[in-house]
Amino acid sequence: MNKPKILIARAIFPEVIARLAQHFDVETNQTDEVWTPSQLVARLQDKQGVFAMGTERIDASVLSQCPSLKICANMTVGYNNFDLDAMTAAGVLGTNAPDVLTETTADFGFGLLMATARRMAEGEHYLRAGKWTKWRYDMLVGSDIHGSTLGILGMGRIGQGIARRGALGFGMKVIYHNRSRLDAKTEVQCQASYVSKEELLKSSDHLVLVIPYSAQTHHVIGAAELAMMKPSATLINIARGGIVDDAALAVALRNKTIAAAGLDVFEGEPKVHPDLLTVPNVVLTPHIASATTPTRLAMANLAADNLIAYFTHKKPLTPLNPVVLSSL
Ligand code: 8YV
């Protein structure tokens, strides 16, 4: 019997390709070319599945040109590259890769918070540039983590992981805002209190963004929101570019409307707004919050599990639009 054909859209672990090759006729992209939408469409022509990296846009236009496509399996938890309504209308299943990256990503978010608030990157640049000629009492003073107020916008799995680290590890007071309030048991576990978005902006010493990107969350943090924050506050974005208005943030950092920011994600990445590159009080990292080998391998294997499960018994582990399965 012919194996189903799948496309692995970007470079990935050879052992995951070998695993997929046992089940599928696989086309790979180990040179890691970033394709235009029409190049992606050309490669998807005869494919029933795609192993996606969160960077491949799957929308009504792509779907209408790829009639054999049945499943798009992201190896990322975020799925803003999918137009899920269009996929459901076309009978195409989407899957993502939640849970396996939660703790690794929360570790990074907390690390970025510490590096930003305590000016670690700035200190390193200062030292490497040969500017450290003597010690001074007020050299590179930052703001405390312990005992401060940690605000979290988006209290899903990763937000909860950051809350636990802050409350249990650093004695922080944790406040959060979310589309819906957590149940009482989870609030107790995270030692977190629900507040309005306005209260979150006004009261946080450190604000971490962990919300998904969508049309509703585009530029949710812009000039008006930044102006509501404390001048001593730090802002951390490990969620998605586009949630923060990067141009407005660069202005706020330069004017000291807030003290500092730590960003792992950018609108239009891998391009970075040029104004962010010239302000000193921002720590910039290239979307690496989930980047440890065991976690990236677990994410890739979960995407592979979803593809294998879909084609063997139609029961993928983490479907995003399971309604598609009921009509199979
Ligand atoms: C990915 C992420 O590494 O899972 C996600 O949604 O943001 C990261 O873990 C990233 O999306 C790769 O582009």
Side-chain angles (χ1 to χ4, degrees):
M1 207 179 85
N2 284 343
K3 291 175 179 173
K5 291 189 170 132
I6 65 159
L7 176 69
I8 304 178
R10 298 286 302 274
I12 195 57
F13 300 96
E15 60 263 50
V16 175
I17 297 179
R19 217 184 131 212
L20 287 165
Q22 292 171 12
H23 302 266
F24 305 108
D25 183 347
V26 174
E27 180 178 335
T28 62
N29 177 16
Q30 288 300 79
T31 54
D32 208 32
E33 272 177 71
V34 180
W35 296 320
T36 62
S38 56
Q39 287 171 321
L40 177 68
V41 164
R43 280 160 180 97
L44 283 176
Q45 274 321 294
D46 52 347
K47 307 295 188 303
Q48 283 122 287
V50 58
F51 181 114
M53 220 52 76
T55 41
E56 300 68 36
R57 180 95 192 121
I58 306 291
D59 57 15
S61 159
V62 169
L63 293 164
S64 67
Q65 297 172 77
C66 304
S68 52
L69 197 58
K70 294 275 165 250
I71 170 170
C72 303
N74 259 0
M75 76 162 254
T76 56
V77 64
Y79 53 90
N80 51 298
N81 59 316
F82 291 163
D83 180 339
L84 217 50
D85 290 340
M87 288 168 68
T88 305
V92 173
L93 184 77
T95 63
N96 68 338
D99 302 317
V100 289
L101 80 181
T102 300
E103 299 302 328
T104 296
T105 305
D107 282 350
F108 186 91
F110 211 85
L112 187 56
L113 163 57
M114 297 198 71
T116 305
R118 295 301 309 275
R119 303 176 66 179
M120 292 182 197
E122 235 182 305
E124 207 221 352
H125 295 148
Y126 181 83
L127 182 152
R128 282 184 192 269
K131 292 182 183 164
W132 187 31
T133 52
K134 63 177 180 181
W135 186 92
R136 250 186 79 94
Y137 75 98
D138 59 352
M139 183 173 78
L140 291 162
V141 290
S143 49
D144 275 324
I145 306 290
H146 72 275
S148 65
T149 298
L150 171 63
I152 300 178
L153 183 61
M155 200 60 154
R157 291 161 283 222
I158 297 170
Q160 290 172 34
I162 292 169
R164 285 194 305 273
R165 281 160 178 78
L168 308 177
F170 290 82
M172 298 173 93
K173 175 183 172 192
V174 181
I175 54 177
Y176 76 97
H177 184 74
N178 200 38
R179 263 177 311 191
S180 48
R181 190 171 170 168
L182 298 179
D183 61 72
K185 191 173 156 223
T186 313
E187 279 190 357
V188 169
Q189 277 166 359
C190 298
Q191 298 187 14
S193 312
Y194 182 79
V195 295
S196 67
K197 188 181 157 203
E198 188 180 338
E199 176 69 23
L200 187 80
L201 290 165
K202 285 185 175 161
S203 303
S204 298
D205 292 313
H206 310 287
L207 176 59
V208 184
L209 309 176
V210 214
I211 45 172
Y213 180 75
S214 68
Q216 289 71 41
T217 61
H218 179 75
H219 287 188
V220 128
I221 302 293
E225 289 73 21
L226 291 161
M228 290 168 75
M229 293 176 68
K230 296 182 183 183
S232 55
T234 45
L235 176 72
I236 305 298
N237 187 6
I238 55 164
R240 278 289 179 274
I243 289 170
V244 176
D245 178 343
D246 287 345
L249 177 61
V251 172
L253 289 168
R254 203 177 292 287
N255 296 343
K256 305 279 169 63
T257 308
I258 64 167
L263 308 173
D264 187 48
V265 288
F266 306 86
E267 192 168 8
E269 63 186 48
K271 288 200 188 104
V272 175
H273 194 290
D275 294 352
L276 287 173
L277 297 171
T278 57
V279 281
N281 45 344
V282 61
V283 182
L284 308 167
T285 53
H287 204 147
I288 52 171
S290 67
T292 69
T293 302
T295 293
R296 285 281 164 84
L297 192 53
M299 293 160 72
N301 272 317
L302 180 49
D305 289 341
N306 274 318
L307 285 162
I308 295 164
Y310 176 86
F311 285 103
T312 46
H313 47 63
K314 305 281 185 249
K315 288 201 181 99
L317 285 83
T318 50
L320 293 166
N321 51 348
V323 64
V324 164
L325 297 167
S326 53
S327 58
L328 291 176

